[in-house]
Structures are given as structure tokens and as C-alpha cells.
Amino acid sequence: MPEDDAGARERPTVRVVLQRHRNRIIEYLEVAASFDDQQEYERNVQIVHVPYEVINQWEDWFPKDPRHNFDFLDVYDAAEVDAVCQFQVAWEAAADALSDDYPPLSEVQALPEWEQLRSAAEVALTVFMKRGMMPEDHEVA
């Protein structure tokens, strides 16, 4: 069997990649929704500045308006898309409120915008958990 055929069989489908991506969104929302998880993250991964990580990871994981990305619509239902669009509003306010001088996590968590981000993440996470995590090794409809 040629190497290309074997490699093609081991490569995940686009759908599986999107399911994995959706799972990473859920993991992100778990951290964003919990001040305790953010504090634990800071204790366990001391090389990152958690507030910036929370802001930057969202930009890495999700487009500004998922309604225009039809690949996403295959894996996310309408309620999930609405939830992340609502979360995006809180995220933008938190990103704008976060100063550029590496403030301590405790100060950031005291910002009203950061509480709104946490609350919006909690709401979005609740919506996502209605369907929960998706398999990372095979497609589901």
C-alpha cells in the first residue's frame, strides 16, 4: 500500500477536526466561566498571564461572527452560535477594559467587565453542555 493511502486514512476528516475545535471551545468556556479555574491556571502555568491568555485564546478559537462561517454551522447548532455571539459582546468589553501593563489576575477579576465575561461564558457553557463534548475520533451528525 502506498504511504499516501495510509496517511490519508489516519488524517481526520474536516468534520472531526471541527468537532475537536468545538471541544476546545467548551474547555475555553470552562476556564472563562470560573474565577477559581483561572486562579488554578495561574498557579499551574506560571509562564502565562492568565487574563491575556483568556482574551487571546478566544481570538485564536473563534471567528468574530460565526454566522458567516458555514463550516462552523455544521458542528454548532443555532443556540450555540447565538451563545457565542452574546459571549463575543462581553469578551470585547473585557478585552477593552484589560490594561496593557500585565495587571494581577485578582485585579482583573475585580473589573465589572471581567465578571460580565465570566457570566457570559457560564451562560454559553450551559448552552454547549446541552449537547456536550463531541467524539474526537469519528464523525457524529
Side-chain angles (χ1 to χ4, degrees):
M1 172 186 311
E3 268 186 75
D4 289 339
D5 291 342
R9 260 191 255 131
E10 292 179 19
R11 259 184 258 134
T13 64
V14 170
R15 172 72 185 206
V16 168
V17 170
L18 289 171
Q19 288 173 192
R20 292 174 182 174
H21 184 270
R22 182 181 179 282
N23 291 346
R24 302 298 79 80
I25 294 295
I26 290 171
E27 292 167 355
Y28 167 86
L29 290 170
E30 289 171 340
V31 171
S34 170
F35 284 176
D36 290 340
D37 286 0
Q38 292 171 25
Q39 292 163 1
E40 182 179 344
Y41 189 8
E42 183 176 63
R43 283 190 301 275
N44 293 334
V45 188
Q46 296 177 4
I47 63 169
V48 301
H49 185 256
V50 172
Y52 294 158
E53 194 71 11
V54 168
I55 294 301
N56 293 333
Q57 279 186 16
W58 184 251
E59 285 182 307
D60 292 344
W61 285 116
F62 225 84
K64 272 199 181 250
D65 191 343
R67 292 171 289 211
H68 300 297
N69 186 332
F70 296 108
D71 287 339
F72 279 75
L73 298 178
D74 270 354
V75 176
Y76 300 91
D77 67 22
E80 292 165 349
V81 171
D82 287 343
V84 295
C85 289
Q86 292 298 318
F87 175 78
Q88 180 73 28
V89 172
W91 176 90
E92 288 174 8
D96 288 344
L98 183 59
S99 66
D100 293 334
D101 62 352
Y102 291 87
L105 178 61
S106 59
E107 287 180 19
V108 173
Q109 288 179 335
L111 294 171
E113 295 87 355
W114 207 258
E115 171 54 32
Q116 291 165 358
L117 177 81
R118 188 209 60 72
S119 178
E122 187 175 59
V123 169
L125 181 60
T126 299
V127 171
F128 272 79
M129 292 314 292
K130 288 178 182 172
R131 292 194 310 148
M133 300 282 257
M134 291 188 164
E136 298 200 10
D137 60 350
H138 66 277
E139 295 183 14
V140 295

